[in-house]
Amino acid sequence: MKGVYGYIRVSSADQNEARQRLALREKGVAPGCIYADRRSGKDFEREGYQKLVRRLRPGDLLYIASIDRLGRNYQEVQEQWRLLTKEKGVDICVMDMPLLDTRQGRDLMGTFIADLVLQILSFVAQSERENIKKRQAEGIAAARARGQRLGRPPKPLSENFEVVRGQWQAGQLTATAAAKCCGMPLTSFLNRAAGAGE
């Protein structure tokens, strides 16, 4: 009997997968047949996706909300599409792009059009990923240029930090012992001790 599955991917913990999950349910995908990942689409080393691929059998149908939910790496999206459709014999339906439904247009022209659309959309998905990375890097560079500190604020130093730092600098304590006295990881102690006088 043919299985019907769905795949969901969101890039980060603050993104909501509810819209994709609802769309899959409307297609008749049972909750236990929906696989999800909260990971970047840069590659396919995703736990949920790998479990899904192991479960798929010839004749099964896989629903995906959009091609960028499958992935954002042009070459790897192409390879995974071929793996699923040719090697595993699975049908794929990309819900927001009717031309990417392998159940339709199985003749030469239909296959050609689907392959062409897949290549274009995969290219667009990777381009968007590269643009996101570029915008992030530009934003970080601009924040640093304004003197803005990035990341979490440092934890307050322990009350004995200056005394212990002095003992460490005088060679009375090893760095490991000094870090332990201050209740800090070694690298944090060394970084803070080097910058404490700034």
Side-chain angles (χ1 to χ4, degrees), residues 58-132:
D60 286 348
L61 172 61
L62 173 61
Y63 283 105
I64 304 166
S66 61
I67 198 67
D68 65 338
R69 299 303 86 202
L70 182 61
R72 287 191 178 271
N73 180 304
Y74 177 79
Q75 185 174 343
E76 289 192 15
V77 168
Q78 304 285 322
E79 289 172 9
Q80 289 300 311
W81 189 273
R82 184 191 57 74
L83 168 86
L84 295 172
T85 60
K86 304 287 191 268
E87 291 182 26
K88 293 193 85 60
V90 172
D91 277 316
I92 303 175
C93 175
V94 178
M95 293 185 290
D96 71 347
M97 183 54 60
L99 287 172
L100 290 179
D101 185 342
T102 60
R103 299 169 298 173
Q104 312 297 321
R106 291 178 182 265
D107 62 355
L108 184 60
M109 181 60 78
T111 302
F112 170 74
I113 291 170
D115 286 349
L116 192 59
V117 170
L118 175 65
Q119 288 187 30
I120 292 167
L121 293 178
S122 301
F123 172 80
V124 169
Q126 180 167 336
S127 295
E128 179 59 18
R129 178 175 174 265
E130 290 172 1
N131 286 336
I132 288 168

Side-chain angles (χ1 to χ4, degrees), residues 118-173:
L118 175 65
Q119 288 187 30
I120 292 167
L121 293 178
S122 301
F123 172 80
V124 169
Q126 180 167 336
S127 295
E128 179 59 18
R129 178 175 174 265
E130 290 172 1
N131 286 336
I132 288 168
K133 286 172 62 178
K134 182 180 176 190
R135 288 191 298 267
Q136 285 174 335
E138 288 170 352
I140 290 168
R144 286 187 175 145
R146 291 190 305 268
Q148 190 174 347
R149 182 168 164 67
L150 302 173
R152 288 184 288 190
K155 290 183 178 178
L157 294 171
S158 63
E159 291 181 16
N160 67 343
F161 179 80
E162 287 302 328
V163 172
V164 172
R165 177 177 172 254
Q167 291 173 336
W168 168 69
Q169 288 177 326
Q172 297 169 351
L173 287 173

Side-chain angles (χ1 to χ4, degrees), residues 21-29:
R21 197 169 289 279
L22 178 61
L24 292 172
R25 295 295 302 276
E26 288 174 354
K27 291 290 186 181
V29 183

